[in-house]
Amino acid sequence: MATTPTPTPPLASATDGNLGRRATGRARSPRGTRTSTGGIPGRPLRSRAGAVWVGICIAAIVLVALTVFMLQNTQLVLVSFLGMQGTVPLAVALVVAGVGVGIIALVVGTIRIAQLRRRVQRGG
């Protein structure tokens, strides 16, 4: 004879979004609510142009830091790879290694995203 399990009551955090507090049924203060347009009252909405501007600023800072790094690390080092060897500036060797790792991560990530998209399209 099979018995049906009794449903468990929902967690307090699942009903009102606050951890460790039970829902009281009262309205929340308007200070933390969002408007119907998606923004917080009194704060300008975010835009794509703003996000692009932030991205450009971060890229410029990284470019300046990379330039300073390359100018400070000009001593020659011996690099050996697959039986080949030569001398290059330290900064160039490190940047080439970093770009190589980035390309490998990009390829692996692209393959994984393609796998997940196929799985979602198949429904399984």
Side-chain angles (χ1 to χ4, degrees):
M1 181 181 212
T3 61
T4 59
T6 58
T8 58
L11 298 173
S13 62
T15 57
D16 71 350
N18 289 324
L19 296 174
R21 266 188 40 204
R22 292 212 174 268
T24 60
R26 292 186 292 161
R28 307 236 354 195
S29 68
R31 184 179 51 159
T33 60
R34 293 187 175 266
T35 62
S36 61
T37 57
I40 295 176
R43 183 182 289 179
L45 296 175
R46 293 183 181 151
S47 66
R48 283 190 183 168
V52 168
W53 181 248
V54 169
I56 289 172
C57 291
I58 290 172
I61 291 170
V62 169
L63 182 63
V64 168
L66 187 61
T67 303
V68 169
F69 171 78
M70 291 185 79
L71 291 174
Q72 289 181 346
N73 292 288
T74 57
Q75 58 270 25
L76 294 177
V77 294
L78 178 65
V79 177
S80 300
F81 181 70
L82 296 176
M84 301 175 288
Q85 67 181 29
T87 57
V88 293
L90 175 62
V92 172
L94 291 174
V95 168
V96 168
V99 169
V101 168
I103 290 172
I104 291 171
L106 183 70
V107 169
V108 170
T110 302
I111 291 170
R112 182 64 180 149
I113 289 171
Q115 285 176 341
L116 293 173
R117 283 185 179 166
R118 276 196 301 268
R119 183 179 296 172
V120 167
Q121 288 174 353
R122 280 188 265 161

